[in-house]
Amino acid sequence: MHKVYTRVERIAGNVVTVRASDVSYRELAQIETRYGTSLAQVIRIEGGRVDLQVFAGGRGISTDAKVRFLRHTMQVPFSEALLGRVFNGSGAPRDRGPSIHENLIPIGGPSVNPARRIIPRRMVRTGIPMIDVFNTLVESQKLPIFSVAGEPYNPLLARIALQAEVDVILLGGMGLKHDDYLFFRDTLEAQGALSRSVMFIHTAADPTVECLLVPDITLAVAEQFALQGKRVLVLLTDMTNFADALKEIAITMEQIPSNRGYPGDLYSQLAARYEKAVDFDTAGSITILAVTTMPGDDVTHPVPDNTGYITEGQFYLRNGRIEPFGSLSRLKQLVNNRTREDHRTIMNTMVQLYAAYRETLEKQSMGFRMSAWDHKLLKYGGRFEHEMMDLSVNIPLEKALDLGWEILADCFDPEETGIPTKLITKFWPKTHAAVASHATPRPVEAAAS
Amino acid sequence: MSENIGKIVGVNGNLITVEFEKPVIQNEVAYAVTGELRLKSEVIRIRGRYAELQVFEDTTGLKEGDQVIFTGELLAAELGPGLLTQVFDGLQNPLPLLAEKSGFFLQRGVYLDSLPRERAWTFTPRAKKGDRRTAGETLGTVPEGIFEHRIMVPFGWRGVWTVEDIVPTGDYKVTDVIAKLKHEEGEIREARLMQRWPVKIPIRAYAERLAPTEPLTTKIRIIDTFFPVARGGTYCIPGPFGAGKTVLQQLTSRYADVDIVIVAACGERAGEVVETLREFPELTDPRTGKSLMERTLIICNTSSMPVAAREASVYTAVTIAEYYRQMGLNVLLLADSTSRWAQALREMSGRLEEIPGEEAFPAYLESVIAAFYERGGVVKLKDGSTGSVTIGGTVSPAGGNFEEPVTQSTLKVVGAFHGLSRERSDQRRYPAIHPLDSWSKYRGVVNAEQVADAKRILRLGNDVAQMMKVVGEEGTSIEDFVVYLKAEFLDDVYLQQDAFHEVDAATPAERQQYVFERIHTVLKTPMKFEDKDGARRFFQRLTQTARDWNRAAWGSDEFKSLEERIENMRTEVADYA
Ligand SMILES: Nc1ncnc2c1ncn2[C@@H]1O[C@H](COP(=O)(O)OP(=O)(O)OP(=O)(O)O)[C@@H](O)[C@H]1O
Ligand SMILES: [Mg+2]
């Protein structure tokens, strides 16, 4: 039977130390607290002493608390019955449904063999030009939304989730406000998507340690669905809360911090989760969309910084818009060569010109005279912001590309755009032909073909 | 000798503390036993009766009292025919075979032979009975893909050896004995097709080290023309996330003018390795007409794979690079990212509770980095031929700030610095190598004086741009404004290069010399314009034409006519006064 220990030697924060033998690393234990029984996990073994991280926190634990080791690591049930349900960070029901015990699977499992991954090839359409045209989302991508608190990142997450064609939606909430949890639940329900969703929710009111478990539980379930051939979308909000929970434990364990109090393994910890995004060669896929709030709107803060080094790009949400600068989809080139031949050119040209517009704005604010070129840029920047960047715009990729040409032709002569002459010939709107005739004579295309 | 077994007394992440009785060796390999599994580990510190080991696997399930078997061997790589085209993890396990054995996921405690044991290679002796040989000298050769793979006297054999016996031409497996050699002092040893070498020790079985002088062309213009790399040289690419380090390395791994490319994906994304390993077999190497994979070898320990094996992965990679160098080949090692390896050192140092240096990196970080880059170089082999290992490492500085310890330690030892800038990547000016901050100590493929001219114009152009921010365009003279436009032109049509365009992605040295000469002429031409708007319009047209020129096939009719057009445009505005 399970042996029970009652010698608690140390209680600090959420970590308790007991004298115990025959305990294995990462094993689970049950510990009795004044408020009931909590799960705890072994996080260090040292000369007969065992450190346990208590899921419900250290509060209310007495020095003679009973600790019972369970002989297994953290597990989560997996079955179709999860769909439509809501759980907390330790996997207990949060809705009024029954608890599920069948088919337990370990969490935080090994990583996928790179030899069994394939190059992702499927675009995820969102109807948002700043994503579809400029930073195309790709199935199996891992991508966070970088944002300051107060931006509409959760509505954006929900909107992408509902518009994407996926089989299963998993929501992992960390330090979520209760209102936000209700928003997700109600939105999914209203759109009829709840029955293909599972939620693992840790709210700001719940114990910190449970926050740490949310990504692992969510991704373990995602992995099982993906192995069944399902296309899974995982939403993780907010990963900064997860990182802060890591920091809290590290400090309790007296680890030497590397940067602003965060532990030196922050990169590896985040990567272990984000790298669960995958396209299997003979099964389904996992796409991860996360939220990383940036303390003080500072991308060099350790959490967004480490995240950026791990994920395959990021959407930079600011003033309710996805910024063209700082936003990036690293997988876009895997799909945007097969959408439409002008896709890449529109993407590059419009952003380069928008960068020039920003410079002009700066000059204008300094009170400098605006040249003819500056006036063109000002007109362009205005249209770009209104008709492309605004998050209320909801049009398919092809329409957005057409709109791009329309805006360019309305504001510039063809050669001012730097677009290859071949594409100008094919795509420059004919209504602007008069302007276009200023262009240099057509190059020797005949010779090339 | 009976087994040397210790027992676990502590587990802290991937660090275990082991109590031992018989002697143990610093950096020896040991296996922690849990149930059926044996987890590979390395001794990293010894204190009294206790040894501390880093485990190259997830330590879940390890207990106090579990056995640890010490092997007495240092962490070593298998060297022999059959390395090329393979994809290994950081401990040199072939990943495709691991997948056959364990399926989708990497199961811990599974270790496979690096070199195929069953495959036979046609060995041709290049030595005969009575010949005298020393470590690193050739005993025979086997064809390995496009190369003549030399089978050498094992690098660790000291002194002079006489061939006692050598097998005739025929098919042999890597473990077959192909020669017996006798030492001056009488000892007889057997040489096989394969040998093992401890990865943390440089291979020194050569005649002498030479200075790196030959340019290594990458076909990336800003590198080859402005910040060149030399064969046997070292360089680093620091840059904030998303600035283009990996894309640069992927381009280099495709186009670099070397015999062999070793890609060490160290603690970065698995997806990036997948691109290489899925695409290279389909791509043709223009130098050989064979698949690019034939000259490539991938070592990958991606970010979610065990952290301790990151360090092993870069050493395994550089050891294999040195091995092929011993065959008189030019090898390029691309490590992405060295910061992840430094972070692995930091994690371990933290667990060992060593006194931390800056940003909690260990105090020995700098010497470890220096020793690693020192393994690059050109060597003259004992038979007079030369071979080289070129090392290019990316650095991922926290917050994109180059003042941090890993970037700074690296800059002290490398021969070229390709600093990527967030500003340039935001503006989509790829490759985002900063043209004013970067430097190289090596010789390039293009006329050095012309390059110096071009750099001067870039600097002047930048000065004008800064000044215009203060005094506006109206406060700038037209002469200065034209300098600014020339610098922008050079940037747009030469420094920037479209990585995804089939022609523009790779510019061979010959084309660089040719095109740069023309661009230089444009830069040096005094020009006269009515006004600034006229000047701007001219340069916009010129830029577009020159970009079309970059996209035209070398020597095609289109190439020639665009060149002519550029020349006409130039003479139109030339001010011969
Ligand atoms: N030369 C280039 N041409 C076109 N696009 C590029 C180029 N270099 C980078 N990019 C774009 O930038 C993205 C990020 O580049 P890359 O993955 O090389 O960054 P990185 O510096 O390696 O970042 P990290 O440190 O996070 O790994 C690419 O996916 C691509 O979209
Ligand atoms: Mg990279």
Side-chain angles (χ1 to χ4, degrees), chain A residues 25-26 45 47-48 110-111 113 115 117 267-268 275 305 309-311 330 366 368-369 415-416 419 421 443-444 448, chain B residues 9-11 13 60-62 64 95 104 106 242 267 269 278 304 310 347 397 399 469-470 474 537 544 548 561:
Chain A
Y25 186 62
R26 295 256 167 84
I45 303 173
S111 59
N113 187 328
R117 289 172 178 262
Y267 174 86
S268 304
E275 282 282 312
D305 187 48
Y309 276 119
I310 292 161
T311 53
R330 294 167 192 248
M366 306 266 298
F368 294 133
R369 198 171 60 221
E415 78 270 13
E416 288 169 338
I419 294 176
T421 314
V444 268
Chain B
V9 296
V11 185
T60 299
L62 287 181
E64 233 176 302
L95 285 172
F104 284 123
L106 291 164
R269 306 168 187 83
R278 298 265 172 180
S304 62
R310 276 184 211 162
E347 278 183 38
K469 282 195 184 139
V470 184
E474 62 264 43
R537 283 192 75 89
Q544 194 191 27
D548 282 343
S561 79

Side-chain angles (χ1 to χ4, degrees), chain A residues 279-347:
Chain A
D279 206 344
F280 285 115
D281 60 356
T282 52
S285 69
I286 302 175
T287 309
I288 302 180
L289 269 182
V291 167
T292 299
T293 49
M294 296 185 293
D297 197 13
D298 175 12
V299 254
T300 69
H301 180 279
V303 179
D305 187 48
N306 279 284
T307 304
Y309 276 119
I310 292 161
T311 53
E312 290 156 334
Q314 64 279 332
F315 296 151
Y316 204 133
L317 188 63
R318 178 187 255 161
N319 299 328
R321 294 195 295 227
I322 295 175
E323 273 283 316
F325 310 120
S327 294
L328 172 71
S329 160
R330 294 167 192 248
L331 300 190
K332 60 179 184 274
Q333 57 262 29
L334 300 178
V335 295
N336 65 12
N337 54 341
R338 286 171 296 124
T339 45
R340 220 169 79 174
E341 68 179 305
D342 56 331
H343 185 163
R344 284 185 176 172
T345 303
I346 284 290
M347 164 183 98

Side-chain angles (χ1 to χ4, degrees), chain B residues 78-302:
Chain B
E78 287 192 353
L79 302 172
L83 289 172
L84 292 179
T85 76
Q86 290 224 57
V87 184
F88 295 117
D89 71 4
L91 301 172
Q92 217 195 349
N93 295 295
L95 285 172
L97 291 182
L98 281 181
E100 274 175 31
K101 219 173 142 72
S102 320
F104 284 123
F105 298 94
L106 291 164
Q107 299 303 344
R108 60 190 180 145
V110 183
Y111 308 109
L112 302 176
D113 294 327
S114 311
L115 293 171
R117 291 296 193 266
E118 291 313 311
R119 176 153 174 201
W121 301 87
T122 307
F123 174 79
T124 309
R126 307 279 183 210
K128 55 185 188 311
K129 193 169 155 59
D131 283 354
R132 287 155 66 81
R133 291 282 188 271
T134 59
E137 287 186 295
T138 306
L139 292 170
T141 56
V142 302
E144 180 188 14
I146 46 184
F147 301 102
E148 178 104 305
H149 187 115
R150 294 186 192 170
I151 305 301
M152 297 165 274
V153 177
F155 306 127
W157 293 14
R158 291 198 198 146
V160 181
W161 299 78
T162 308
V163 179
E164 285 279 293
D165 199 5
I166 189 158
V167 295
T169 302
D171 288 356
Y172 302 91
K173 295 175 183 165
V174 287
T175 49
D176 290 342
V177 174
I178 48 97
K180 287 199 177 71
L181 294 98
K182 188 172 177 186
H183 193 253
E184 305 166 285
E185 285 161 15
E187 187 194 350
I188 293 188
R189 285 194 194 166
E190 294 174 333
R192 297 158 205 272
L193 283 190
M194 64 168 276
Q195 57 172 310
R196 298 171 64 79
W197 182 259
V199 295
K200 288 187 183 161
I201 301 175
I203 296 171
R204 292 215 170 87
Y206 48 78
E208 62 175 314
R209 264 188 85 146
L210 308 172
T213 49
E214 284 277 300
L216 184 164
T217 32
T218 61
K219 304 199 177 78
I220 297 165
R221 294 187 290 260
I222 186 169
I223 295 179
D224 298 343
T225 302
F226 286 84
F227 310 109
V229 177
R231 283 191 175 161
T234 53
Y235 68 103
C236 70
I237 311 175
F241 64 78
K245 298 180 290 296
T246 305
V247 170
L248 258 184
Q249 287 215 335
Q250 285 172 340
L251 292 169
T252 315
S253 67
R254 277 185 197 198
Y255 301 120
D257 187 15
V258 289
D259 299 309
I260 288 173
V261 175
I262 298 181
V263 176
C266 174
E268 293 285 305
R269 306 168 187 83
E272 295 167 347
V273 183
V274 177
E275 283 180 38
T276 306
L277 73 93
R278 298 265 172 180
E279 277 172 0
F280 272 31
E282 317 293 322
L283 296 171
T284 318
D285 180 1
R287 295 169 78 239
T288 59
K290 298 279 175 58
S291 132
L292 255 184
M293 206 60 200
E294 297 220 358
R295 70 161 200 179
T296 312
L297 188 157
I298 302 172
I299 311 251
C300 80
N301 180 264
T302 55

Side-chain angles (χ1 to χ4, degrees), chain A residues 139-336:
Chain A
E139 192 174 325
S140 90
Q141 191 159 13
K142 42 182 177 287
L143 194 133
I145 298 169
F146 281 2
S147 144
V148 285
E151 293 284 342
Y153 45 81
N154 284 331
L156 177 60
L157 217 53
R159 177 170 162 200
I160 298 172
L162 290 167
Q163 216 133 331
E165 293 161 351
V166 292
D167 302 320
V168 179
I169 299 171
L170 295 180
L171 174 69
M174 289 149 283
L176 211 57
K177 281 199 287 255
H178 198 77
D179 295 356
D180 288 337
Y181 153 58
L182 293 178
F183 161 78
F184 275 112
R185 197 196 58 190
D186 296 346
T187 312
L188 289 173
E189 179 139 49
Q191 307 280 327
L194 203 55
S195 58
R196 55 187 171 99
S197 307
V198 190
M199 296 190 232
F200 294 93
I201 304 293
H202 165 269
T203 67
D206 300 328
T208 318
V209 182
E210 287 190 358
C211 177
L212 283 177
L213 297 170
V214 167
D216 285 339
I217 290 196
T218 313
L219 290 162
V221 170
E223 215 156 64
Q224 294 302 317
F225 279 120
L227 287 172
Q228 293 181 346
K230 301 245 166 42
R231 299 158 75 174
V232 185
L233 176 64
V234 176
L235 310 175
L236 297 173
T237 172
D238 164 357
M239 285 298 276
T240 303
N241 291 332
F242 169 76
D244 286 343
L246 282 174
K247 175 164 90 172
E248 199 178 312
I249 295 293
I251 289 173
T252 311
M253 296 297 288
E254 292 170 2
Q255 284 177 21
I256 301 156
S258 68
N259 212 330
R260 291 201 231 181
Y262 289 90
D265 66 354
L266 180 61
Y267 174 86
S268 304
Q269 293 286 1
L270 290 171
R273 276 76 190 188
Y274 279 115
E275 282 282 312
K276 293 277 177 197
V278 63
D279 206 344
F280 285 115
D281 60 356
T282 52
S285 69
I286 302 175
T287 309
I288 302 180
L289 269 182
V291 167
T292 299
T293 49
M294 296 185 293
D297 197 13
D298 175 12
V299 254
T300 69
H301 180 279
V303 179
D305 187 48
N306 279 284
T307 304
Y309 276 119
I310 292 161
T311 53
E312 290 156 334
Q314 64 279 332
F315 296 151
Y316 204 133
L317 188 63
R318 178 187 255 161
N319 299 328
R321 294 195 295 227
I322 295 175
E323 273 283 316
F325 310 120
S327 294
L328 172 71
S329 160
R330 294 167 192 248
L331 300 190
K332 60 179 184 274
Q333 57 262 29
L334 300 178
V335 295
N336 65 12

